[in-house]
Amino acid sequence: MKIDEVSKQLGLTKDTLRYYEKLGLIYAVPKSASGVREYDDLAIEHIKFIICMRNTGLTLKQIKNYIDLYNQGEQTHDERLEILNAQRQYVIEQITTLNESLEFLEYKIARYHNQKN
Amino acid sequence: MKIDEVSKQLGLTKDTLRYYEKLGLIYAVPKSASGVREYDDLAIEHIKFIICMRNTGLTLKQIKNYIDLYNQGEQTHDERLEILNAQRQYVIEQITTLNESLEFLEYKIARYHNQKN
DNA sequence: AGTTGACTTCGAGTCTACTCCAGATGATAT
DNA sequence: ATATCATCTGGAGTAGACTCGAAGTCAACT
């Protein structure tokens, strides 16, 4: 798959895909002899992982850090587990906050329908 | 309440509180004769509203727009309702996305505990 | 009276995450 | 063969949300 198709499939712009690669977030994107990226399944999975982590609120720097740890191998196992656990906790908090905001929005909307605002 | 106490209570820095006011997000913060802010209950509620809207993913500009509409009175009723409804929908989507990310994180964490990674 | 500490304004600087542009190269269609 | 199109690199620019520093003011304590 070339960059345009990946872009459409994953919802990132082509610039963003190249930007992530430049930051070192995506390694091992195969390139043709003339330098054109040819994304394989591994690269796609890798990008999906980045999108997922980004959705949880990690910065690109933090994601890079995680990937670097991963590449350092077994010795960073515990540190990576800690990151995942912390992020899990953070996601739970975010969901709680969003549920509260949702309730508040629905309360407001109900009031709007009662012409009270 | 002076700015330092508000800052601690709401979790925004003093700079951020002044910044929001400068953007026109918080109006009517009473000031003492010498120009010191003295936040009252109305101002606090107002800031809590801003934090809540920000948590749903609205930009400060969008929040400002909503507040401006509000200040224009009854004639913007429908437009404001539309904004709230759209944001409600967006929050629901965010919760869905976060739940998916949570599942993925838990799957990863489980694998880590099985020594598979 | 002087010092301390919290407040003020204003403008500039920072960080994150893109986003865009220029100029070059290469593959494909007519 | 030439035109079109997508891709490439490198670097600059942008948007959003702060964050900081300088210089000044004011209230309260010693």
Side-chain angles (χ1 to χ4, degrees):
Chain A
M1 264 204 284
K2 291 207 188 119
I3 199 164
D4 193 52
E5 201 184 336
V6 177
S7 165
K8 278 165 186 154
Q9 211 168 92
L10 302 186
L12 298 177
T13 69
K14 289 179 274 184
D15 275 323
T16 299
L17 283 166
R18 284 188 285 252
Y19 172 63
Y20 282 3
E21 203 177 328
K22 185 153 62 177
L23 289 186
L25 294 179
I26 317 170
Y27 50 86
V29 178
K31 288 188 182 184
S32 77
S34 60
V36 174
R37 289 170 183 80
E38 189 57 56
Y39 294 83
D40 58 14
D41 289 357
L42 186 65
I44 300 294
E45 282 313 303
H46 199 139
I47 297 164
K48 281 185 186 167
F49 171 75
I50 293 166
I51 294 171
C52 177
M53 288 301 105
R54 192 193 59 169
N55 284 341
T56 73
L58 280 182
T59 65
L60 300 182
K61 204 184 213 173
Q62 289 171 317
I63 296 171
K64 167 92 165 89
N65 178 240
Y66 181 90
I67 291 168
D68 287 348
L69 287 173
Y70 183 83
N71 289 334
Q72 281 165 42
E74 190 51 35
Q75 71 202 28
T76 64
H77 180 283
D78 293 359
E79 194 173 344
R80 279 179 282 142
L81 182 54
E82 255 179 65
I83 291 171
L84 294 179
N85 268 317
Q87 204 56 17
R88 175 178 172 277
Q89 201 49 50
Y90 183 56
V91 169
I92 289 170
E93 281 162 28
Q94 281 182 83
I95 292 172
T96 304
T97 302
L98 279 176
N99 273 316
E100 283 165 15
S101 298
L102 183 57
E103 243 178 75
F104 177 73
L105 276 171
E106 290 182 338
Y107 163 74
K108 273 221 138 195
I109 290 168
R111 281 210 338 195
Y112 266 70
H113 282 127
N114 292 338
Q115 320 286 347
K116 290 203 185 126
N117 236 318
Chain B
M1 265 204 285
K2 290 208 187 120
I3 198 163
D4 192 53
E5 200 184 337
V6 177
S7 164
K8 278 164 186 155
Q9 210 168 93
L10 302 186
L12 299 177
T13 69
K14 289 179 274 185
D15 274 325
T16 299
L17 284 167
R18 283 188 286 250
Y19 173 63
Y20 282 4
E21 202 177 327
K22 183 153 65 178
L23 290 187
L25 293 179
I26 317 169
Y27 50 84
V29 177
K31 288 188 182 183
S32 77
S34 60
V36 175
R37 289 170 182 78
E38 189 58 55
Y39 294 84
D40 58 15
D41 288 358
L42 185 65
I44 300 294
E45 282 313 304
H46 199 139
I47 297 164
K48 281 185 184 167
F49 171 75
I50 293 166
I51 294 172
C52 177
M53 288 301 105
R54 194 194 58 171
N55 284 340
T56 73
L58 280 183
T59 64
L60 299 182
K61 205 184 213 171
Q62 289 171 317
I63 296 171
K64 168 91 166 92
N65 178 239
Y66 181 90
I67 291 169
D68 287 347
L69 287 173
Y70 183 82
N71 290 334
Q72 281 165 42
E74 191 51 35
Q75 72 203 29
T76 64
H77 180 284
D78 292 0
E79 194 174 344
R80 279 178 281 144
L81 182 54
E82 254 178 65
I83 292 171
L84 294 179
N85 268 318
Q87 204 55 18
R88 175 178 171 278
Q89 200 50 50
Y90 184 56
V91 169
I92 289 170
E93 281 161 27
Q94 281 181 82
I95 292 172
T96 303
T97 302
L98 279 176
N99 273 317
E100 282 165 15
S101 298
L102 183 58
E103 241 178 76
F104 177 72
L105 276 171
E106 291 183 338
Y107 163 74
K108 273 223 138 195
I109 289 168
R111 282 206 343 191
Y112 266 70
H113 282 127
N114 293 338
Q115 318 288 344
K116 289 201 185 128
N117 235 318

